[in-house]
Amino acid sequence: MCLEAIDPEYLNMIYDGPYRPMKLAVVVVGQEENMIDKENKDYFPEDLSSIIKDAKVRHILHSSLDNVMSNRIIGCKTAKEIWNTFEVKYLGTTAIKKNRRTILNQEYEHFGSKSNESLTEIYDRF
């Protein structure tokens, strides 16, 4: 998928995660302030706009998938969760990336010709 095709405003939903409308909870003397989720009736137009953006990004990501990958992300509730699932599936975790580099280095260091290969075939394989 080409991320350049997605509006930069929507990319924030992928990288920063979903927007959750929050409000300040009632503060009791002696307790610290904390934030709680807003109820639907308390949403401002900006809140609704951000929620709609997340839904659009989820739709874009869902639309670009084949059936196999769709089954993997069916339980994801936000665009951020879908994106993280993509990253693990196609790029792997940090440990997997490190193992891939190690294997590729070993293959490079032990590169050699096979018995019935021509120089062109060796070069192409290299």
Side-chain angles (χ1 to χ4, degrees):
M1 168 175 227
C2 181
L3 285 179
E4 290 80 29
I6 298 176
D7 186 343
E9 191 174 343
Y10 294 134
L11 283 178
N12 291 336
M13 292 294 176
I14 291 175
Y15 295 124
D16 300 335
Y19 174 76
R20 290 180 38 217
M22 306 288 278
K23 66 180 178 180
L24 186 62
V26 177
V27 179
V28 178
V29 177
Q31 292 182 349
E32 62 183 62
E33 297 178 356
N34 63 342
M35 302 293 284
I36 59 172
D37 290 334
K38 283 185 181 178
E39 296 178 21
N40 292 352
K41 65 181 181 176
D42 297 331
Y43 286 175
F44 292 118
E46 298 84 22
D47 296 332
L48 291 173
S49 172
S50 294
I51 291 169
I52 290 169
K53 285 178 194 173
D54 186 64
K56 285 182 181 180
V57 172
R58 281 186 287 134
H59 176 72
I60 290 169
L61 293 172
H62 277 283
S63 299
S64 65
L65 300 175
D66 60 359
N67 291 337
V68 174
M69 194 60 190
S70 290
N71 291 336
R72 286 180 178 246
I73 59 136
I74 199 77
C76 297
K77 296 192 182 337
T78 65
K80 175 79 170 151
E81 287 179 49
I82 294 170
W83 191 253
N84 289 342
T85 303
F86 282 164
E87 284 186 330
V88 170
K89 166 74 171 122
Y90 292 109
L91 298 178
T93 61
T94 306
I96 290 172
K97 290 178 192 176
K98 187 176 179 180
N99 287 340
R100 281 188 198 147
R101 283 189 207 109
T102 303
I103 290 169
L104 289 172
N105 281 336
Q106 288 173 349
E107 288 177 3
Y108 175 75
E109 289 169 359
H110 300 310
F111 184 81
S113 64
K114 296 180 180 173
S115 61
N116 56 354
E117 275 186 313
S118 68
L119 285 175
T120 307
E121 293 171 335
I122 295 169
Y123 180 76
D124 289 343
R125 194 165 49 89
F126 180 72

